[in-house]
Amino acid sequence: MTEILRLENVAKRFGEGDSSVAALLDVSLHLASGAFTAIRGPSGCGKTTLLLTAGGLLKPDVGGAVVSGQSLYALSVEKRAAFRAAHIGFVFQQFHLIPYLTVLENVLTPLLKNKRGTGRARAEELLNRFNLAGHARKFPAQLSTGERQRVALARALINHPSVLLADEPTGNLDEENGEAALNALSDFARQGGAVLLVTHDQKAAQRADCVMEMRNGALQQETLSGK
């Protein structure tokens, strides 16, 4: 299988001197195409820091992140942003939709970095897939929580990314919409992408092929999910 994501001996601390806090401690992780890996752990254990580092948003103090053969932190900030937009999809619990853009415009935003044309046909395909076609001209404030999460999923998939990084994507959703979000992640992995999910939710983690535990910035040995 093709390697999609690799973290090698990543370490990250916040603060200085005696007051500094270790967020990541010598973390290594490898994901190949088709992998769906979940990381569980309590709040403050380093899960989100790990995800941001894997996605090129937070440079580690030690170690590096490689996506589709590209060392992310060897790139300039501008080139890293363009690479991220083309190869990495993010799904966050808080959605991060732009309030003054319509649903369709929000889905299209990752394409702006790479100037790939409008991508309208791809966006409309995704809106249809997530039962959002009738909401294309609405603004985020006019949507339910579940609808906003589906918009965020469509946006994450617009560029046919190599990897999806999902941070508590079901945390704000009811059971039905949470299931739909997890189905989308599973489908993406089955089609050859790689998924890294961080979550508190045992039910969500069980949808993954393997589950890892994180404690105090360190990853524990992975286990099969038993799904």
Side-chain angles (χ1 to χ4, degrees):
M1 288 187 177
T2 303
E3 182 183 78
I4 302 293
L5 171 65
R6 181 171 82 251
L7 299 178
E8 290 287 359
N9 307 114
V10 169
K12 181 68 178 179
R13 298 185 73 90
F14 293 106
E16 298 181 358
D18 294 339
S19 62
S20 68
V21 176
L24 297 176
L25 292 171
D26 195 31
V27 172
S28 294
L29 179 68
H30 299 256
L31 266 66
S33 59
F36 186 169
T37 296
I39 296 176
R40 294 185 61 207
S43 295
C45 72
K47 301 189 306 299
T48 297
T49 301
L50 174 62
L51 214 63
L52 295 175
T53 301
L57 290 170
L58 184 64
K59 187 176 182 179
D61 300 326
V62 178
V66 177
V67 173
S68 297
Q70 175 62 58
S71 177
L72 296 182
Y73 298 103
L75 298 171
S76 67
V77 172
E78 182 176 308
K79 289 183 178 179
R80 187 162 72 244
F83 182 88
R84 185 169 57 242
H87 296 277
I88 303 171
F90 289 92
V91 185
F92 294 112
Q93 182 177 356
Q94 301 300 329
F95 319 134
H96 297 304
L97 301 179
I98 300 173
Y100 54 82
L101 296 183
T102 66
V103 164
L104 179 61
E105 290 166 342
N106 266 285
V107 173
L108 288 168
T109 52
L111 295 173
L112 299 178
K113 275 286 181 188
N114 294 314
K115 301 178 181 177
R116 293 187 179 181
T118 66
R120 189 183 182 96
R122 168 68 172 165
E124 290 176 345
E125 171 195 339
L126 288 166
L127 291 178
N128 281 325
R129 175 182 175 185
F130 292 116
N131 298 315
L132 291 165
H135 301 297
R137 296 184 180 181
K138 291 183 179 179
F139 293 93
Q142 297 173 287
L143 304 178
S144 69
T145 300
E147 288 165 346
R148 290 197 294 273
Q149 183 62 289
R150 281 181 275 151
V151 174
L153 279 165
R155 180 186 58 192
L157 293 167
I158 186 72
N159 261 346
H160 300 283
S162 303
V163 59
L164 278 180
L165 304 176
D167 190 359
E168 301 284 3
T170 62
N172 285 325
L173 303 181
D174 59 27
E175 184 173 356
E176 181 180 355
N177 284 303
E179 189 70 13
L182 292 170
N183 286 341
L185 298 181
S186 295
D187 289 346
F188 178 80
R190 280 196 294 269
Q191 292 164 10
V195 176
L196 182 61
L197 165 72
V198 301
T199 184
H200 292 94
D201 184 357
Q202 182 176 359
K203 184 176 180 181
Q206 287 175 340
R207 293 292 300 271
D209 299 314
C210 69
V211 182
M212 304 184 77
E213 295 288 333
M214 195 162 202
R215 292 287 185 274
N216 300 318
L219 277 181
Q220 309 298 317
Q221 185 175 1
E222 68 181 49
T223 59
L224 297 178
S225 67
K227 65 176 182 178

